[in-house]
Amino acid sequence: MARSHKPIVWGLFAAGGTVAAFFLPVLMLLSGLGITFGLLPGDFLAYENVYALLQHPLVRLITFGVLLLTVWHAAHRLRITMHDFGIRADTFVAVVFYSIAAASTVVLALALIRI
Amino acid sequence: MSRRPYIRPVSTTGWWLSEGLYFRYMMRELSSLFIGAFAITLIVGFYRLSQGGIEFEAFTAALLGPVGTVFAIITLVFALYHSYTWFQVTPKAMPIVLAGKRVPGFIIVAAHWVGFAVVTVVVWLLAVAR
């Protein structure tokens, strides 16, 4: 049988969709809206506080896993959605979105290593 | 005899505006645009954090400003719609059979919302109780 990269991107899409469904709303509250809604203190996102929070290995793991999978989920779904908008240049679209996802993954990894 | 079959004219870009079902489908697919933008925003935030305090404070100022807040609210609505649509298809994506009987779909969906609540509370406590 011919080998294809499809199962890999589809696996990332499904895993990312699941992780995003469970984790993103609470991450949105923690990264700004919680302060806007008055649920969190105004200095919650102060440099020292976020820096200290990211020293926790579990926080780093959740952050890395959720954001990595979410970016690949979004890239794959947007690729398919471009087809729904009548854009048929799938190879070009795939290269653009997967490149953005790959670049985001690298930046995220570098940032977390440096923090 | 003329053999020119009638082809109903359909817009290739705006077809999803014609019916509620198509529109909801497109909103579900477009949730990925906002979800992806949010993830990249957070990644930029971590990059800013790795650069230093001044860079990060500039980032959070924009995040908490009017544009950032409007973006965050729209993003939250799309994220919740993504959660809803994702959990809604789970009985079809992974039907569960217990003791020879199919578990009713609403129980599988409800179990996912319970999981959602647990994740929300645990992540919140992990972030707030430092």
Side-chain angles (χ1 to χ4, degrees), chain A residues 54-90:
Chain A
L54 280 168
Q55 300 309 308
H56 197 300
L58 192 56
V59 173
R60 292 171 87 93
L61 185 71
I62 291 175
T63 306
F64 185 70
V66 169
L67 292 182
L68 169 114
L69 290 171
T70 299
V71 162
W72 284 95
H73 162 82
H76 184 65
R77 194 169 238 184
L78 280 174
R79 172 191 172 188
I80 305 303
T81 306
M82 288 304 107
H83 189 272
D84 291 338
F85 279 118
I87 297 165
R88 295 289 178 265
D90 182 57

Side-chain angles (χ1 to χ4, degrees), chain A residues 3-114:
Chain A
R3 280 176 184 271
S4 152
H5 64 280
K6 209 170 174 180
I8 298 170
V9 286
W10 208 88
L12 285 170
F13 165 74
T18 304
V19 159
F22 281 107
F23 282 86
L24 286 196
V26 66
L27 286 185
M28 286 168 185
L29 286 181
L30 289 169
S31 62
L33 280 180
I35 297 175
T36 309
F37 295 155
L39 302 169
L40 293 168
D43 67 344
F44 183 75
L45 291 181
Y47 175 74
E48 295 77 18
N49 290 342
V50 182
Y51 191 90
L53 185 60
L54 280 168
Q55 300 309 308
H56 197 300
L58 192 56
V59 173
R60 292 171 87 93
L61 185 71
I62 291 175
T63 306
F64 185 70
V66 169
L67 292 182
L68 169 114
L69 290 171
T70 299
V71 162
W72 284 95
H73 162 82
H76 184 65
R77 194 169 238 184
L78 280 174
R79 172 191 172 188
I80 305 303
T81 306
M82 288 304 107
H83 189 272
D84 291 338
F85 279 118
I87 297 165
R88 295 289 178 265
D90 182 57
T91 308
F92 173 73
V93 168
V95 167
V96 169
F97 284 127
Y98 294 150
S99 298
I100 294 172
S104 304
T105 305
V106 171
V107 172
L108 174 66
L110 287 178
L112 283 177
I113 289 167
R114 282 170 59 185

Side-chain angles (χ1 to χ4, degrees), chain B:
Chain B
M1 243 171 83
S2 119
R3 288 287 179 205
R4 279 197 303 144
Y6 172 70
I7 296 169
R8 193 166 56 100
V10 175
S11 162
T12 49
T13 49
W15 57 270
W16 50 280
L17 289 165
S18 64
E19 257 185 63
L21 179 68
Y22 299 162
F23 182 76
R24 289 196 298 279
Y25 163 81
M26 197 51 108
M27 288 305 105
R28 187 191 81 191
E29 298 303 287
L30 280 184
S31 69
S32 59
L33 180 65
F34 294 90
I35 282 172
F38 170 74
I40 288 178
T41 304
L42 281 202
I43 291 171
V44 169
F46 290 131
Y47 180 69
R48 287 299 195 198
L49 189 79
S50 76
Q51 286 179 315
I54 296 161
E55 289 83 353
F56 187 67
E57 306 277 308
F59 169 79
T60 51
L63 197 68
L64 298 171
V67 176
T69 302
V70 170
F71 167 71
I73 290 170
I74 296 170
T75 303
L76 180 63
V77 172
F78 271 99
L80 287 171
Y81 191 59
H82 167 75
S83 303
Y84 167 75
T85 54
W86 198 264
F87 295 158
Q88 211 61 28
V89 300
T90 49
K92 283 172 187 161
M94 43 172 205
I96 299 169
V97 179
L98 275 184
K101 278 186 186 168
R102 245 180 113 145
V103 176
F106 74 92
I107 291 180
I108 300 174
V109 175
H112 278 83
W113 281 111
V114 172
F116 175 87
V118 170
V119 166
T120 301
V121 170
V122 168
V123 171
W124 179 275
L125 292 179
L126 187 65
V128 174
R130 53 174 86 124

